[in-house]
Amino acid sequence: MEKKTIPKDNSLKWMNKGKVFLVIIWGIIILIFLIKRKDITIDGILNYTPQSPILAAFMMIGLFALKSLSIVIYSGILYVIDGILFPLPVAILMNICGSIVMVTLPYVIGKKVGARAAVYVVEKYPKAKSLNKLRSENDFIFTFFVRIIGRLPSDIVSMYMGAVGVKYQKYLSGSILGMLPHMITFPVMGMNITNPRSREFIVSLCVEIIIMIGTTTAYALNKRNRKRKYS
């Protein structure tokens, strides 16, 4: 079979340049963290955070926006930081708002570029081919299943789903619901990070382990069932 190639156009060139720009930004942030690594404690993070809760909230939304188009940093870190900076109900709300930004921006880019973005994602990340096999007739269930499994970078999943025409309302609701357990457990761990023996920290960690085991098992069973179906 003839290999499908990516058309050379300005939209993909712009997308690649944007990736390079974001990698540079995260590189600078990581360099600053390395230089200031002695200050990277809970107190240190709070010292570098605006005193105004509103400014702190805008700062976190900005970090989620940067994360939306970069795989350099794990979104769970941002969930934890929200748990450190805000009371739990506010932290969960911040995680939801940040996640909406995080999953929307690459989706819009994928939708704008269209099929070319889908080809780009599959060629650059071969594991993304599994998304085609997982897709069902219900976009909400498909998105929820992909998000809760979490085997691919968030920005890659978002761009792909925008490119293949997954309906935004179903995509967004499936994404948020699939990521919601992490939005709750990570800030709880962040609030108790100085006391990892606390009941709250241990319960949250156990929930994360159960989710990881459960989603891995579900993915393996789904993969085996599809092999049987098409064999």
Side-chain angles (χ1 to χ4, degrees):
M1 181 181 292
E2 184 179 346
K3 184 179 180 181
K4 196 172 185 180
T5 58
I6 306 171
K8 301 292 184 181
D9 58 32
N10 292 331
S11 55
L12 283 176
K13 288 181 180 178
W14 176 83
M15 190 165 60
N16 286 327
K17 288 179 180 179
K19 287 276 187 179
V20 172
F21 177 70
L22 287 166
V23 168
I24 292 173
I25 291 178
W26 276 117
I28 293 172
I29 293 174
I30 291 171
L31 181 61
I32 292 173
F33 280 167
L34 289 175
I35 294 174
K36 297 287 187 178
R37 59 185 179 276
K38 292 182 180 179
D39 298 326
I40 302 178
T41 61
I42 294 178
D43 291 336
I45 293 173
L46 295 176
N47 287 336
Y48 285 105
T49 303
Q51 295 296 318
S52 167
I54 295 177
L55 291 178
F58 276 112
M59 181 196 75
M60 290 305 302
I61 293 297
L63 290 177
F64 274 105
L66 282 175
K67 165 67 191 94
S68 69
L69 299 176
S70 173
I71 61 174
V72 175
I73 190 170
Y74 175 49
S75 58
I77 295 175
L78 299 179
Y79 293 160
V80 169
I81 293 175
D82 273 339
I84 295 173
L85 297 179
F86 305 102
L88 184 59
V90 179
I92 294 173
L93 179 61
M94 283 298 304
N95 285 342
I96 293 173
C97 293
S99 295
I100 290 173
V101 172
M102 183 174 67
V103 302
T104 296
L105 293 180
Y107 173 90
V108 171
I109 292 175
K111 190 173 183 64
K112 180 178 177 61
V113 179
R116 296 182 300 276
V119 176
Y120 168 84
V121 168
V122 170
E123 288 196 356
K124 191 170 180 64
Y125 300 91
K127 287 184 178 180
K129 291 181 180 179
S130 62
L131 293 177
N132 282 326
K133 299 176 182 178
L134 289 173
R135 190 171 186 183
S136 62
E137 294 180 359
N138 189 313
D139 284 342
F140 170 79
I141 294 176
F142 167 58
T143 306
F144 171 78
F145 188 62
V146 170
R147 288 299 187 189
I148 201 167
I149 289 176
R151 295 179 67 88
L152 290 169
S154 175
D155 62 325
I156 298 303
V157 170
S158 300
M159 191 180 300
Y160 178 87
M161 291 194 176
V164 299
V166 173
K167 296 295 184 183
Y168 178 72
Q169 293 83 354
K170 294 181 179 180
Y171 160 77
L172 182 61
S173 56
S175 292
I176 297 304
L177 188 61
M179 299 164 71
L180 188 61
H182 308 299
M183 297 181 204
I184 298 173
T185 56
F186 277 100
V188 171
M189 286 190 282
M191 296 177 69
N192 296 277
I193 199 168
T194 57
N195 185 19
R197 295 183 179 179
S198 67
R199 181 178 63 182
E200 292 83 359
F201 188 95
I202 293 173
V203 169
S204 298
L205 181 61
C206 289
V207 170
E208 279 295 319
I209 293 173
I210 291 171
I211 291 173
M212 181 179 66
I213 294 173
T215 54
T216 301
T217 302
Y219 178 79
L221 290 174
N222 181 274
K223 188 175 180 180
R224 187 178 67 180
N225 289 338
R226 287 184 175 273
K227 281 185 178 179
R228 288 180 177 177
K229 183 178 179 180
Y230 295 106
S231 61

